[in-house]
Amino acid sequence: MSKRGNGEGSIYPVPGGYRAFVWATRPDGTRYRKYVQRKTYEETQKAWLDLRAKVRSGPVVSNAPKLADFLDYWLTEVVQPNLAPLTASTYETFVRHYITPKLGGKRLDRLTVRDVRLWLNALRAECQCCAQGKDARRKTPRCCAIGRCCKRIVSERTIKDARAVLRSALNVAVSEDLLTKNPAAGIRLSAARTRKTKPWTVDEARRFLESARTEDDPLYAAYVLILVLGLRKGELLGITWEAVDLDAATLDVSWQLQRVKRQLHHRETKTRASDAVLPLPDICVTALRERRRIQQAARDRLGDAWIDTGFVFTTEHGTPFEPRNFDRRFATRCRRAGVRKITIHDMRHTCASFLAALDVHPRVAMQILRHSDIKVTMEIYTHIPSEQTRRALKRLSERLGR
């Protein structure tokens, strides 16, 4: 090896192995000695060469925090002040359940691509009921805590989301000169297959609405708005009467209601693409007029006990409708109507499938559903067989049947 130049440091024996140092520069411009130590000379030399290359590429942090400490800082100072409450809560959940338990003890500057890859592989194979002690917290354990592992592994979508959260956090570490490169950025994962939903047929949707209308379900108008306009659950529950103009037959969709942990948030929709003033078809206007009549009757009956929140869909006392309670009421209505139980988001897909079946142009459907990307709309459209597709397959079948 050629003679080392000034500032390149040296390798020397110490009790238990060898030690080496390199003169490095902190992000604030001050210089200091950064050390590495290994058991053999060859291992120390390799670590020293890696450190020297790292020093040459830019400033090096002298006292990097552990990943767990940095993630706490990232959640508190970067995520919570700048992102939506529900998004911040989701990030915190991923950090707490998936990232910190396995990688939190690593020093930030020593986290490698290999560490991240091994973590993802382990996460893919580990039962989360065992890892998070879910069964052990039950009053009466029924699987993992009594030796019968339920093998509740995470989906590929969760794997991708966990990696994305870690990558986002480490991008901040790079921007703050705590890392020279992001070890989570170069790892490729297989594409997660999206769950193909099976929306309601026209007959199922009709039976569902007829059941709600004939039984005077106070949420009938809510179901109509989802099926006809494709509203999201948060957008639906966040509608106020100020946003509704029944005379002009329009609805301003720009707010949503979400529960994050123990608090309800009435806030703007996530993106500008979600905001829109939608025309209300006659069935929506009629349903909303009936909803206002039901709410006024409840207000008159309770008098001073009525809590005026301004929301269109409220409890019988006027308070906002809890998202989870809406889920329960929807499941009950599916059962009473005798239709397949789907999710409320699948009702939105049902609206999209109806638009596709009616040959509504994708760009128009995109505006109604307020997708931020035409790809999302087309993903739904390609799953709905058009009449032209049916005719083509019928002709093919007739040819093959000869």
Side-chain angles (χ1 to χ4, degrees), residues 17-32:
Y18 289 84
R19 198 179 192 195
F21 74 88
V22 173
W23 283 100
T25 304
R26 296 186 179 91
D28 63 4
T30 59
R31 284 172 57 79
Y32 71 103

Side-chain angles (χ1 to χ4, degrees), residues 348-394:
R348 176 172 161 83
H349 279 274
T350 299
C351 170
S353 68
F354 290 168
L355 293 174
L358 293 170
D359 289 330
V360 175
H361 193 279
R363 282 288 176 185
V364 177
M366 178 184 175
Q367 293 176 354
I368 295 173
L369 298 168
R370 290 155 296 109
H371 288 148
S372 58
D373 193 333
I374 188 64
K375 293 179 182 178
V376 180
T377 312
M378 293 308 301
E379 179 71 17
I380 299 172
Y381 264 51
T382 54
H383 290 161
I384 307 300
S386 66
E387 189 60 34
Q388 184 178 4
T389 305
R390 291 190 180 93
R391 288 197 300 267
L393 291 175
K394 184 179 179 181

Side-chain angles (χ1 to χ4, degrees), residues 110-264:
R110 292 179 181 172
L111 188 66
T112 64
V113 174
R114 185 172 184 271
D115 292 330
V116 177
R117 180 174 285 110
L118 292 177
W119 161 65
L120 290 172
N121 290 340
L123 183 61
R124 186 178 283 110
E126 186 175 33
C127 171
Q128 291 304 306
C129 183
C130 295
Q132 299 176 29
K134 292 181 178 180
D135 191 49
R137 292 196 297 270
R138 295 187 178 115
K139 291 183 178 179
T140 306
R142 58 176 182 260
C143 53
C144 299
I146 57 176
R148 294 200 297 263
C149 182
C150 61
K151 305 293 183 183
R152 186 174 295 178
I153 61 174
V154 297
S155 66
E156 283 301 314
R157 180 70 211 180
T158 300
I159 296 290
K160 290 179 73 71
D161 288 345
R163 193 277 302 265
V165 171
L166 177 62
R167 182 175 58 192
S168 179
L170 296 182
N171 280 338
V172 173
V174 172
S175 70
E176 295 186 358
D177 293 324
L178 295 174
L179 289 175
T180 56
K181 65 178 182 178
N182 187 338
I187 295 180
R188 296 186 63 181
L189 297 175
S190 59
R193 297 184 64 178
T194 56
R195 180 180 66 92
K196 291 185 179 181
T197 61
K198 186 180 180 182
W200 278 337
T201 63
V202 174
D203 182 63
E204 286 175 310
R206 179 186 54 76
R207 283 160 50 200
F208 178 84
L209 289 181
E210 282 185 356
S211 171
R213 185 178 67 250
T214 55
E215 295 184 19
D216 294 326
D217 191 326
L219 293 177
Y220 167 71
Y223 303 143
V224 169
L225 291 179
I226 297 178
L227 281 171
V228 176
L229 299 180
L231 296 187
R232 302 172 178 90
K233 179 173 63 176
E235 295 168 346
L236 176 80
L237 299 180
I239 297 173
T240 61
W241 285 112
E242 289 182 355
V244 180
D245 188 338
L246 294 179
D247 295 328
T250 60
L251 171 63
D252 184 356
V253 182
S254 55
W255 290 81
Q256 59 183 335
L257 185 71
Q258 294 176 330
R259 175 165 288 283
V260 180
K261 296 181 179 179
R262 298 185 177 182
Q263 188 174 0
L264 276 175

Side-chain angles (χ1 to χ4, degrees), residues 73-107:
Y73 157 79
W74 175 69
L75 289 171
T76 303
E77 303 298 334
V78 179
V79 173
Q80 293 178 6
N82 298 293
L83 299 181
L86 185 58
T87 303
S89 178
T90 301
Y91 282 12
E92 187 274 333
T93 298
F94 273 93
V95 167
R96 176 163 44 90
H97 286 320
Y98 304 126
I99 303 176
T100 298
K102 300 297 182 183
L103 296 176
K106 284 272 186 182
R107 250 182 59 164

